[in-house]
Each structure stands twice: as structure tokens, then as C-alpha cells.
Amino acid sequence: MCSLIKDNEMREQILKYFEGQLSSEETEKLFSRIQTDKDLRREFIAFQNLQGLTAWLPAENDPVTSVEKLFQFKEARRTEKSKTVYLRRRILRYAVAVVVSVLSTWTLFYYTTQRDIDKENQPAIAYEEFTAPAGQRALLRLQDGTTVWLNAKTTLRYPNRFSKTERRVELNGEAYFEVKENAKQPFIVSTEQLDIKVTGTTFNVFAYKGSQQFITSLVEGSVLVYPLDNEENAIALRPNEQVELKGNNLVKKTFSSTDIFLWKEGVYAFDNQPFHEIVQKLELYYDVKIIVKIKSLDNYSFSGKFRQRDGIEKVLKKLQKIHPFKYTKDEEQNIITIY
């Protein structure tokens, strides 16, 4: 797997580490080397992310059985470099076709910085950033036990270890949080315009930078939504309530359908949604510019469910059946024109 590591001995050590075959002395030596060798650290992180990704892939009786479980690390380790590279590429290719679930890389950095804390008695906090690619989604597990689903083109910035007073992350995009409860250490999601504060809760946030839409929907627990660093003006939500930013005002309402959260399962659901709002989301999700020349389409609302992995053109073709229109796609400019 780690074909870029020139030192074969260290490569073997990394493989053994993830198989749980290293002694404490060997582990200490490996992490000491990782601290000083950037290339080795980069490969370690790539290996850890890939291992986390494949752990979430379907196994037996799944249509995508070609992944072949990747759990053939031992055998792959004995093959030549070219076969290792092939296996890595093959796994990644199939991973894109199914749920893309990547574990965060906090383990390595927490280990190394914890040693610095012990020596200097001062916290050394580093920040990680992960982005789910267009047309995909990802699952992260943070060091406190919180799980976060990231929708397409969503970026989450988070520390390798939280402070003693709060657990703060920064979000650009859409994410579904299942926060580990801790009343003494509230969890705060910072977005471009608003903050969301919880102690242990399940909720969804739609907050892409540059987008006019901001929506927080509460599933379980309670949340406070407020302008940045202005908690005094917070709006409290109960389960099945959501708050939306309308101009400069926050508007609270209830919701009954949980279809809006189906994106976690690879399904985009639109329920009587105006066409221009659907277009805006498709642009965000698939990283494409859409030009609509039929203004009358704005007068129509559409409902439907679409598989994320089918791609934007299949979504458009299904929408065509509801209200006819034509479209062209400029591959070079990445522009879709609806006419």
C-alpha cells in the first residue's frame, strides 16, 4: 500500500502497526521517525485514511464485491511494487462508486502531540481539514466520539484535540452531526454566518459559503443557533424543528419528513422544491455551473429522489419527465445550459 516509502523496513513497520503486530518499543520508534520524516508521515496518513475508507465498504453479497475486502494487506505486502500500486488504485476506484467513508487522522497527531504535552506541560493543538469531493460523501469520527457525515463539496476543519472548555469545529457545506454528549464541554459548529451550540445532539446543517441558504434541522436533543459570537440572541430548537436564514432574520418552523437527511445514504430527495433551489443544490453537490434560459421553470416545483452516484445528468433526465426541457453540457467549461 505504501509504495512511495523508500525505506522498506519502515514500510513493513507501518503495515505491522495497522495489523497490531508491533511491540511498544517498535511503535515508539515508528512514531519518532514519523515526527521527523514528512514523507513517511504523509504515507502513514494516506494508509490510515484508506484503511478507514475500506472498513466502511460493503462486503459479502454486495453488488460491489470487486473491492475484494482489501483485507488482503498481508498478501499485497508480499507482491511487487507495481501490483501494490494497482491494488491501491483499484480500491480507490471502487470506493468512489460506493459510500466514501474516511476516518479522521487524529490518532497519529494526538499521539505525537501528547508526547509534547507530557514534556512541556502545554497543549499543542494542530488542525486537520477534510473535504468530501463533488458527487460523494464522507464519514468522519472525531476524537471525542462524535460522528460527522459530510455531503458533497463539504469541508470540515477540526482540531486534533479539543480544548477543555469547548469542542469547536468549522463547517463549509452540509453535514449531519451525531455529537457525543458532554455538558461540561459544549460542541460548537461555526459556519460563515452563524454558530450552532450543543452538548449532545443529532442535527443537520446546510451552510455552504457563498450560498444564500442556511438551514439547521434538529433530530434529537437541543441546539442553540445564533450570530457569530453573539449567543445572547440565540434561537433554541426542539426535535423536528429547523431554523432558516431569511435575509437577516432567522425563521423557525417544524418539519415532518426525514427525507431531507437521505443524502447520508446516497439519495438526494426534493419535496415540492422550487426549480431554482434544486439547481442551486445541484451546482453545489456536483461542482458545475448551470444556466437556466427557461425562466418559466422557476414557477414549477419538483419532487423526487435521486441516487447521488448516478450523477447530475441522470437527475436532469428525471426532472425532464416532470416538466419538459432540453439541456447541453460543455465539458471543457463545466457548464450545463437548460433551454
Side-chain angles (χ1 to χ4, degrees):
M1 296 294 296
C2 303
S3 60
L4 299 180
I5 301 178
K6 297 180 180 180
D7 188 334
N8 290 331
E9 178 183 353
M10 297 309 297
R11 173 192 173 197
E12 291 290 324
Q13 293 295 300
I14 288 179
L15 289 168
K16 288 182 179 179
Y17 170 79
F18 283 101
E19 292 173 348
Q21 298 178 4
L22 282 189
S23 64
S24 58
E25 292 79 13
E26 290 173 323
T27 300
E28 178 74 17
K29 179 180 178 181
L30 172 63
F31 278 87
S32 177
R33 178 74 176 274
I34 288 174
Q35 282 186 288
T36 58
D37 190 327
K38 292 183 179 180
D39 291 335
L40 185 65
R41 183 163 62 248
R42 189 183 305 112
E43 287 301 317
F44 183 97
I45 293 171
F47 192 101
Q48 186 181 39
N49 279 344
L50 186 57
Q51 187 193 48
L53 182 151
T54 53
W56 290 91
L57 292 177
E60 297 178 355
N61 301 323
D62 190 276
V64 195
T65 54
S66 299
V67 177
E68 297 172 348
K69 296 185 179 180
L70 177 68
F71 311 130
Q72 304 167 1
F73 282 142
K74 294 182 180 180
E75 182 176 349
R77 185 175 62 197
R78 293 191 290 268
T79 62
E80 64 271 18
K81 179 178 179 180
S82 61
K83 290 185 178 180
T84 303
V85 173
Y86 169 78
L87 178 59
R88 184 178 187 176
R89 290 176 178 173
R90 184 179 184 185
I91 292 163
L92 288 176
R93 183 170 67 250
Y94 281 107
V96 169
V98 295
V99 177
V100 179
S101 305
V102 182
L103 297 182
S104 63
T105 58
W106 71 271
T107 306
L108 165 63
F109 293 100
Y110 182 76
Y111 181 94
T112 55
T113 54
Q114 184 63 47
R115 294 178 58 195
D116 295 335
I117 295 170
D118 294 339
K119 291 179 181 180
E120 303 176 9
N121 199 31
Q122 288 186 345
I125 297 178
Y127 283 85
E128 296 300 309
E129 189 173 279
F130 184 81
T131 299
Q136 300 176 27
R137 65 196 187 283
L139 173 64
L140 279 77
R141 296 185 186 277
L142 303 183
Q143 51 129 336
D144 67 330
T146 293
T147 59
V148 189
W149 278 100
L150 303 182
N151 205 345
K153 288 195 66 184
T154 295
T155 298
L156 187 74
R157 185 174 184 264
Y158 54 96
N160 66 316
R161 57 189 303 272
F162 292 115
S163 72
K164 294 181 179 180
T165 58
E166 66 178 20
R167 296 170 288 166
R168 183 180 292 269
V169 300
E170 298 174 21
L171 175 69
N172 172 19
E174 183 171 17
Y176 186 92
F177 293 86
E178 296 177 352
V179 177
K180 187 73 172 180
E181 186 172 1
N182 187 342
K184 296 181 180 180
Q185 194 181 23
F187 192 95
I188 300 173
V189 180
S190 290
T191 70
E192 184 179 32
Q193 302 182 70
L194 299 158
D195 283 349
I196 303 100
K197 182 177 181 179
V198 307
T199 56
T201 279
T202 302
F203 61 103
N204 191 88
V205 180
F206 183 98
Y208 285 87
K209 285 185 178 180
S211 173
Q212 297 179 352
Q213 284 190 305
F214 170 93
I215 302 175
T216 295
S217 306
L218 181 62
V219 180
E220 296 178 357
S222 62
V223 304
L224 296 176
V225 182
Y226 51 91
L228 303 182
D229 300 320
N230 189 6
E231 191 175 341
E232 292 181 357
N233 294 321
I235 289 182
L237 295 183
R238 296 179 178 179
N240 296 112
E241 289 184 340
Q242 62 182 193
V243 64
E244 183 174 359
L245 186 62
K246 296 283 190 180
N248 295 322
N249 299 317
L250 287 171
V251 179
K252 184 166 67 171
K253 60 182 181 180
T254 60
F255 67 91
S256 56
S257 174
T258 58
D259 284 355
I260 56 177
F261 310 128
L262 286 176
W263 65 263
K264 297 193 295 90
E265 302 169 24
V267 176
Y268 291 139
F270 301 113
D271 183 13
N272 198 34
Q273 196 159 356
F275 188 73
H276 71 275
E277 291 185 6
I278 295 176
V279 166
Q280 290 173 359
K281 288 190 175 182
L282 293 178
E283 287 182 316
L284 289 171
Y285 294 154
Y286 292 104
D287 193 23
V288 63
K289 175 66 176 178
I290 302 177
I291 299 174
V292 181
K293 292 189 174 182
I294 306 177
K295 300 304 179 182
S296 61
L297 285 174
D298 289 340
N299 299 323
Y300 295 91
S301 295
F302 294 77
S303 298
K305 297 178 182 179
F306 314 96
R307 289 182 300 180
Q308 186 183 50
R309 69 170 181 261
D310 284 345
I312 189 170
E313 291 197 60
K314 285 193 175 181
V315 174
L316 292 175
K317 288 177 181 178
K318 289 183 179 180
L319 291 175
Q320 283 177 319
K321 296 178 180 179
I322 302 174
H323 189 82
F325 61 82
K326 296 181 181 180
Y327 73 89
T328 59
K329 184 175 182 180
D330 185 331
E331 297 287 353
E332 185 174 342
Q333 299 294 325
N334 196 31
I335 297 175
I336 291 177
T337 302
I338 295 176
Y339 61 97

